[in-house]
């Protein structure tokens, strides 16, 4: 699975990250349960003392490089993951298959299928996220808040990036983007997100300069 790693920050900037060479990622019998355990181990390393937990002073985004590597390793080695997706919904053009979502476990893992031309709302995730393109192409458009005193939800377009099969993109919690499936075939992605509160997830209305929870 060749491709480039990317990081999108809260200000909408998309920057390339160092990618691990594919031959360094080959692992026999790299199962999905092992991936989940290793991601959890990475996150648990941040919990250094009880005060951090009580103050919620843990910045999980510093784990993104390590988790990106695990995601690339999983998609490269797991035929099961490569085949776990649905056909696009004929009405909405979007289908989501939940691979893992357990109460008390701070991760949501899913695959998303988009029919060509499908466009998402402008949104953030309220937590860190990593998306690996398994098939097709996905155009990401990046936005940032303008900090307008009268319109706190007003956003400006920063740029865009077309991701191809093998590319992996990661997001900080307040990174804002919208996606569009481009090309002639459905786009299939593997997505993993940290734990988020609904109060921190927003869908943005570009024209009205408003945002609502979703």
């Amino acid at each position: 699975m060749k491709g480039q790693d990317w990081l999108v920050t809260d200000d909408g900037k998309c920057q390339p990250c160092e990618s691990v060479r594919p031959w360094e990622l080959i692992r026999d019998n790299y199962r999905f349960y092992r991936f989940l355990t290793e991601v959890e181990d990475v996150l648990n390393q941040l919990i250094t003392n009880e005060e951090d937990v009580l103050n919620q002073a843990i910045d999980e985004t510093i784990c993104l490089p390590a988790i990106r590597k695990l995601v690339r390793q999983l998609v490269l080695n797991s035929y099961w993951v490569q085949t776990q997706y649905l056909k696009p919904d004929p009405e909405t053009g979007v289908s989501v298959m939940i691979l893992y979502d357990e109460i008390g476990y701070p991760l949501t893992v899913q695959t998303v299928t988009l029919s060509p031309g499908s466009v998402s709302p402008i949104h953030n995730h309220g937590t860190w996220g990593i998306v690996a393109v398994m098939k097709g192409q996905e155009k990401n458009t990046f936005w940032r808040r303008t900090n307008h005193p009268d319109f706190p939800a007003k956003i400006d377009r920063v740029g865009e990036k077309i991701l191809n099969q093998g590319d992996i993109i990661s997001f900080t919690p307040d990174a804002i983007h919208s996606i569009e499936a481009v090309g002639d075939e459905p786009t299939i992605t593997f997505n993993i997100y940290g734990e988020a509160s609904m109060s921190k997830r927003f869908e943005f209305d570009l024209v009205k300069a408003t945002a609502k929870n979703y």
Side-chain angles (χ1 to χ4, degrees):
M1 180 183 171
K2 296 181 180 179
Q4 176 65 52
D5 287 4
W6 302 91
L7 172 66
V8 184
T9 51
D10 293 354
D11 58 4
K13 294 181 180 179
C14 181
Q15 57 197 42
C17 305
E18 184 177 356
S19 301
V20 180
R21 290 171 292 190
W23 57 86
E24 297 178 353
L25 298 172
I26 300 299
R27 288 179 62 177
D28 291 333
N29 300 319
Y30 191 52
R31 310 296 189 190
F32 185 55
Y33 78 88
R34 195 182 306 277
F35 165 79
L36 293 175
T37 300
E38 292 184 357
V39 172
E40 187 177 31
D41 289 344
V42 169
L43 295 173
N44 284 341
Q45 290 176 4
L46 290 176
I47 304 176
T48 57
N49 56 59
E50 186 176 353
E51 183 179 355
D52 284 342
V53 177
L54 294 176
N55 294 334
Q56 296 183 336
I58 301 172
D59 180 10
E60 292 184 341
T61 60
I62 65 175
C63 293
L64 286 174
I67 300 176
R68 279 197 305 267
K69 178 182 177 181
L70 294 174
V71 168
R72 187 172 290 281
Q73 197 160 44
L74 179 70
V75 175
L76 175 67
N77 291 282
S78 175
Y79 176 77
W80 180 82
V81 166
Q82 296 170 18
T83 59
Q84 297 305 298
Y85 58 86
L86 302 172
K87 293 183 179 179
D89 184 280
E91 296 185 1
T92 66
V94 181
S95 290
V96 177
M97 174 181 282
I98 300 296
L99 300 183
Y100 199 87
D101 187 12
E102 179 182 349
I103 295 175
Y105 188 79
L107 295 173
T108 297
V109 188
Q110 60 192 25
T111 56
V112 178
T113 309
L114 303 172
S115 61
S118 297
V119 180
S120 78
I122 303 172
H123 62 282
N124 74 336
H125 292 282
T127 183
W128 61 266
I130 297 176
V131 176
V133 180
M134 298 198 297
K135 291 184 179 181
Q137 293 180 305
E138 179 183 275
K139 182 172 77 172
N140 274 252
T141 302
F142 310 113
W143 311 79
R144 67 182 171 204
R145 291 179 183 263
T146 62
N147 296 319
H148 192 289
D150 298 323
F151 301 97
K154 181 176 173 59
I155 56 175
D156 283 338
R157 182 182 178 278
V158 177
E160 66 180 42
K161 178 71 63 178
I162 293 180
L163 305 177
N164 299 299
Q165 182 176 348
D167 288 337
I168 294 179
I169 191 166
S170 53
F171 302 91
T172 56
D174 288 325
I176 304 171
H177 74 140
S178 55
I179 60 175
E180 178 182 359
V182 295
D184 299 325
E185 62 177 331
T187 298
I188 302 170
T189 59
F190 173 90
N191 302 21
I192 180 171
Y193 302 103
E195 190 171 23
S197 167
M198 294 294 291
S199 64
K200 296 180 180 180
R201 296 176 54 188
F202 296 100
E203 178 182 324
F204 295 85
D205 188 312
L206 184 62
V207 176
K208 296 180 181 179
T210 58
K212 63 180 180 180
N213 295 116
Y214 84 106

